[in-house]
Amino acid sequence: MATADEVPSVPSLEALDRKKGHTFVEPLKKINEGQDVSAFLTSKAYGDIVTFLLQLNRAMFPSYIQSPEPDQKRSAQTWELGSSAVTFSETVRCLRSLLEDLNQIIDEVPPDTRPRRFGNASFRRWYEEVEQRTSVLLYRHLPPTVLEFPMIPGDKRTPADEIKIYFLGSFGSSQRLDYGSGHELNFLAFLGCMWKLGGFDTLNPGNEERGIVLGVIDPYLQLVRRLIKTYTLEPAGSHGVWGLDDHSFIPYIFGSAQYGPSILPNDQIPTEGSLEGTPDPADVAKKTAVDRERDKNMYFGAIGFIHDVKKGPFWEHSPMLYDISGVRAGWGKINKGMVKMYNAEVLSRFPVVQHFRFGSLFNWEQDPNAAPPPSSVHTSNQPVRDGPRPSLENASARAPPPPQEAIKAPWASRPVIMPDPGIGTAAPWANKPTIMSGPDVGTADPWATKPTAMPGPGIGRAAPWANRSAVAADAGLPSTRFPQPSSRDPGATLPRTQMPLRAKDGETDAGNMPPPTKASWAR
């Protein structure tokens, strides 16, 4: 085993100094337009969120178990869901009890059975119950080290006043009846607040992070999936089929790390390769493989929920995940791409982060050491709200340029002469004057030049598709191509025509399935 001196200083979220005390404030909304996203990407809050996410992600990679024999092959310790190798701390067990209480509130608020078009309105009742019980739930389940964090004398805001904003924002919107990755981000911030206030055990690096992921985040995702299915919550800010997932993102990050290659405490996060014996990434499209792995891996657990709520071919309703399943460089490559995609599709998108609130623990202040955000599609195409009306002093500087002379069209070289109102344009068929007929005279149709003689009851007219060479036996009249029953054989029946079978709409066989397209980062 590696000694303490060999363990590098892995970047982790820094905890606050209890000796200095802290001033807590009410988190407020700061992102109001697209330009604010660029300010967020250089703020202290962004740096803390990314640091905490990468800290949890690294802990989920399998670890090498050093063999006492130098010549013996090293084995790997994996971190599957429900693994007995992960020890839960007291704080993790308390948070699990908190999530169980929220599950019981779902039983107390059944869904409305009346017909509806969108989300179930009973979710508002569930949210109201949670909101009313928030203070009791937090003081019952959070450790004293968090709730009794030293405050600056004279301050009125308590740690619970700031933490509960992120807690209540973690379960969807009671107004829009939806849930998305922005609410998932709030739960990550809720756990980050507890880490900053010293609520988690930091004496055993790696074990507490794995306890947070396996013991808290996964039960939270199970709770959210029950909320979505019970109250039919809509996706919040979803790209539809062109997004990774309608509701969640972080299970794909931690789940791909679970299948990544093994690492030592002083190793960097691998960017390619897979643990020996792990499923192939292409197995996400096979329901049997998903059912086998969903209870052990968070990536396949998220895929399994998609199979539960969506029907049809996987490549059709989840093309992004199907494209990623074609990555051949292993789960390490997928994990690296998922982290980059989370930064681009969640943290850099205005519709997702606009509802995130900033306080003293996740601060809006600019980080002096932060690098300027890279230019991307999302950062360069952000919505801009209407600014204040310009002052009179700058009105001339902001005035629009004078209109330029229009360019004449090629057909506008001659002046257009408008006709006299009494003169009309003669139509091509108006060469001769129309003589109105009297009331007793009918209008002759083009096909009515000759009187039509109606045939007698025994005379028929041959259809255009009739076989004129064939002569009926009885009447001596041309018959149709389809055989008719003979009067000599009253029991005869017409033969049945057989049409070629057509494939039903939407049905494809495996041979017609489109090949996977590599993701932008899957080179």
Side-chain angles (χ1 to χ4, degrees):
M1 296 291 293
T3 63
D5 297 336
E6 297 175 349
V7 178
S9 57
V10 178
S12 61
L13 189 61
E14 185 178 357
L16 299 180
D17 190 356
R18 302 183 68 88
K19 297 179 181 180
K20 296 181 179 180
H22 189 73
T23 299
F24 296 94
V25 299
E26 181 183 359
L28 300 175
K29 177 180 172 63
K30 297 290 186 179
I31 302 178
N32 299 309
E33 58 181 352
Q35 295 178 355
D36 296 335
V37 176
S38 299
F40 164 64
L41 296 178
T42 56
S43 66
K44 294 181 179 180
Y46 170 81
D48 291 342
I49 292 172
V50 173
T51 300
F52 191 52
L53 178 68
L54 295 179
Q55 176 184 348
L56 300 177
N57 178 56
R58 189 185 189 281
M60 293 308 299
F61 277 87
S63 301
Y64 275 121
I65 300 177
Q66 189 69 35
S67 174
E69 300 294 335
D71 298 336
Q72 189 174 357
K73 184 179 179 181
R74 295 180 299 183
S75 58
Q77 175 64 60
T78 58
W79 316 112
E80 298 180 347
L81 297 175
S83 173
S84 59
V86 179
T87 304
F88 293 158
S89 65
E90 181 64 25
T91 302
V92 171
R93 289 194 293 269
C94 290
L95 291 176
R96 291 170 64 88
S97 299
L98 173 62
L99 296 175
E100 291 176 1
D101 288 352
L102 297 177
N103 257 308
Q104 293 179 1
I105 300 178
I106 299 179
D107 299 331
E108 299 174 10
V109 185
D112 191 356
T113 58
R114 291 176 296 180
R116 63 196 180 277
R117 185 176 180 184
F118 298 109
N120 197 299
S122 294
F123 177 71
R124 294 191 176 99
R125 292 174 49 210
W126 180 89
Y127 190 88
E128 290 174 358
E129 289 291 332
V130 174
E131 192 173 17
Q132 293 174 2
R133 306 183 195 181
T134 296
S135 298
V136 176
L137 291 173
L138 294 182
Y139 277 95
R140 180 188 302 170
H141 296 288
L142 296 191
T145 54
V146 173
L147 299 175
E148 299 175 2
F149 193 90
M151 300 165 52
I152 301 298
D155 291 344
K156 297 181 179 180
R157 297 285 181 182
T158 64
D161 293 335
E162 185 164 346
I163 293 177
K164 71 177 183 180
I165 300 299
Y166 301 105
F167 174 75
L168 289 174
S170 303
F171 307 104
S173 172
S174 60
Q175 296 178 349
R176 299 182 300 272
L177 301 179
D178 60 10
Y179 175 88
S181 54
H183 305 104
E184 183 184 67
L185 175 62
N186 273 274
F187 190 75
L188 186 67
F190 167 71
L191 298 176
C193 290
M194 295 186 58
W195 184 280
K196 280 192 159 190
L197 297 178
F200 292 102
D201 181 18
T202 58
L203 298 179
N204 189 4
N207 182 76
E208 190 72 350
E209 287 87 344
R210 287 185 282 270
I212 293 174
V213 174
L214 300 179
V216 181
I217 293 182
D218 184 68
Y220 159 76
L221 294 173
Q222 299 296 337
L223 169 65
V224 166
R225 290 164 188 165
R226 187 185 177 192
L227 288 172
I228 294 172
K229 296 176 69 174
T230 303
Y231 302 114
T232 59
L233 299 183
E234 297 289 325
S238 172
H239 283 288
V241 297
W242 304 115
L244 181 72
D245 191 290
D246 285 342
H247 303 99
S248 300
F249 203 110
I250 57 176
Y252 298 99
I253 298 178
F254 301 142
S256 57
Q258 288 177 283
Y259 284 149
S262 302
I263 60 175
L264 290 171
N266 57 344
D267 290 342
Q268 299 293 330
I269 296 179
T271 57
E272 61 181 12
S274 300
L275 180 69
E276 184 178 357
T278 55
D280 189 88
D283 289 346
V284 298
K286 305 174 184 178
K287 194 174 185 307
T288 54
V290 173
D291 293 339
R292 184 183 66 247
E293 299 291 330
R294 64 185 301 177
D295 294 333
K296 298 183 293 183
N297 179 267
M298 297 181 69
Y299 193 104
F300 277 81
I303 298 292
F305 181 70
I306 293 179
H307 284 289
D308 292 341
V309 299
K310 294 185 178 181
K311 305 301 179 184
F314 183 79
W315 58 266
E316 187 174 68
H317 59 65
S318 301
M320 181 67 70
L321 288 169
Y322 181 75
D323 291 347
I324 295 173
S325 69
V327 175
R328 310 311 305 170
W331 290 104
K333 179 74 171 180
I334 294 178
N335 180 262
K336 176 185 176 182
M338 287 296 176
V339 173
K340 293 175 62 177
M341 190 183 299
Y342 186 82
N343 182 71
E345 299 295 333
V346 177
L347 299 180
S348 300
R349 288 191 65 233
F350 174 80
V352 178
V353 298
Q354 64 172 328
H355 302 295
F356 191 81
R357 296 180 180 271
F358 301 85
S360 65
L361 299 177
F362 285 94
N363 205 314
W364 177 252
E365 293 180 4
Q366 297 298 294
D367 187 355
N369 300 323
S375 178
S376 64
V377 176
H378 296 308
T379 57
S380 59
N381 295 277
Q382 299 283 10
V384 179
R385 66 175 181 179
D386 296 335
R389 183 175 297 179
S391 60
L392 296 177
E393 297 177 344
N394 300 329
S396 59
R398 299 188 180 186
Q404 300 179 358
E405 183 181 357
I407 301 176
K408 294 182 178 181
W411 40 264
S413 58
R414 297 180 181 180
V416 179
I417 302 176
M418 298 300 296
D420 186 85
I423 303 176
T425 304
W429 39 265
N431 296 328
K432 296 181 180 181
T434 303
I435 302 175
M436 300 300 296
S437 58
D440 298 334
V441 182
T443 304
D445 291 325
W447 41 266
T449 54
K450 296 181 180 181
T452 303
M454 299 300 295
I459 303 176
R461 177 173 293 180
W465 37 264
N467 186 0
R468 301 183 182 277
S469 59
V471 180
D474 296 335
L477 300 176
S479 62
T480 62
R481 294 182 182 178
F482 297 100
Q484 304 294 328
S486 174
S487 58
R488 300 175 181 176
D489 187 11
T493 58
L494 295 177
R496 298 174 59 185
T497 58
Q498 298 181 355
M499 300 298 293
L501 296 176
R502 297 178 58 190
K504 296 182 180 179
D505 295 339
E507 291 186 354
T508 56
D509 55 0
N512 294 329
M513 182 179 292
T517 305
K518 288 187 177 181
S520 56
W521 41 264
R523 298 179 178 177

